[in-house]
Amino acid sequence: MNGKEAIIEATISLIHEKEDHMEEITMREISKRAGVGLGLINYHFESKETLIEVCVERIINGIVDQFRGIEERTKGYTPFEKLDYLGNMTLTFLFEHQAVSKISMLSDMRFPKENDNTQRTLQAYLPLVAQCRPDWEEEKTAQMTFYLISCMQSAFLRHETLKKTQGINLEDAQERKAFHTKMLKNILGL
């Protein structure tokens, strides 16, 4: 394994260990765990924040790839039920991994890329939205899928405000599920 990969793997390991306290991860700790000098970390990543963003993107990519295997777990479900299941699975992950999820979303918003986590999530949702609304043109399906992903991201990032202003506690699994189902029906026009 090359030095850059060793740095990434060491950092991912530390992120999993300290997810709720990622600010405690130090460059020295990463250096020691990866078995490389600090200079090599700075050469490849310029800053701890950049390195963490790269690692978080890799972590989320693995999760998004799992979304693609939803067909097996949802045999016999209607297209809406599959989409609702996927949305609840996504929101559950976000709330179980708040620090990683927030970094991923904010990074995608600051530095959008063609194949970032937001785009990969959108691609995972697109076929299910199309199945729910076969009457929609391709362009409308893409737009509405974008709206859905954007609404989910906004609800997650602003969940404290949502709780204060509307009394919806997205950290509660049942309230989160009800909120998602209602949002999904509104976006799909069902």
Side-chain angles (χ1 to χ4, degrees), residues 60-77:
I60 300 293
N61 278 343
I63 300 302
V64 171
D65 287 343
Q66 290 177 15
F67 292 167
R68 296 174 193 263
I70 193 173
E71 288 297 321
E72 288 249 343
R73 290 172 281 187
T74 58
K75 282 187 178 163
Y77 285 28

Side-chain angles (χ1 to χ4, degrees), residues 135-159:
D135 56 315
W136 285 351
E137 303 269 334
E138 189 175 323
E139 183 178 333
K140 182 170 183 174
T141 302
Q143 281 181 337
M144 298 310 275
T145 305
F146 177 81
Y147 297 161
L148 174 61
I149 301 304
S150 297
C151 286
M152 289 173 68
Q153 288 177 330
S154 181
F156 167 73
L157 290 171
R158 298 183 52 83
H159 72 274

Side-chain angles (χ1 to χ4, degrees), residues 17-134:
E17 288 173 24
K18 299 183 178 194
E19 183 175 337
D20 292 334
H21 304 284
M22 282 196 290
E23 69 282 354
E24 295 175 4
I25 298 172
T26 66
M27 294 292 262
R28 287 199 191 295
E29 193 174 18
I30 295 166
S31 171
K32 183 178 178 183
R33 177 129 347 154
V36 301
L38 284 171
L40 190 60
I41 297 173
N42 289 324
Y43 171 77
H44 284 298
F45 299 100
E46 298 175 17
S47 72
K48 181 176 92 171
E49 290 73 25
T50 301
L51 172 57
I52 298 260
E53 285 178 5
V54 166
C55 293
V56 164
E57 183 173 343
R58 194 173 282 190
I59 291 167
I60 300 293
N61 278 343
I63 300 302
V64 171
D65 287 343
Q66 290 177 15
F67 292 167
R68 296 174 193 263
I70 193 173
E71 288 297 321
E72 288 249 343
R73 290 172 281 187
T74 58
K75 282 187 178 163
Y77 285 28
T78 67
F80 180 83
E81 290 169 335
K82 288 179 184 181
L83 189 57
D84 196 34
Y85 178 90
L86 178 60
N88 282 300
M89 190 171 95
T90 301
L91 286 170
T92 296
F93 174 84
L94 296 178
F95 282 94
E96 287 177 354
H97 305 279
Q98 289 188 34
V100 167
S101 299
K102 185 175 181 180
I103 289 170
S104 175
M105 282 181 204
L106 295 176
S107 177
D108 287 357
M109 288 178 185
R110 281 194 342 251
F111 309 109
K113 294 181 280 199
E114 190 173 309
N115 199 27
D116 62 19
N117 290 323
T118 297
Q119 189 61 30
R120 289 169 51 91
T121 301
L122 192 137
Q123 292 304 317
Y125 275 70
L126 198 56
L128 290 172
V129 172
Q131 289 173 22
C132 286
R133 290 305 305 258

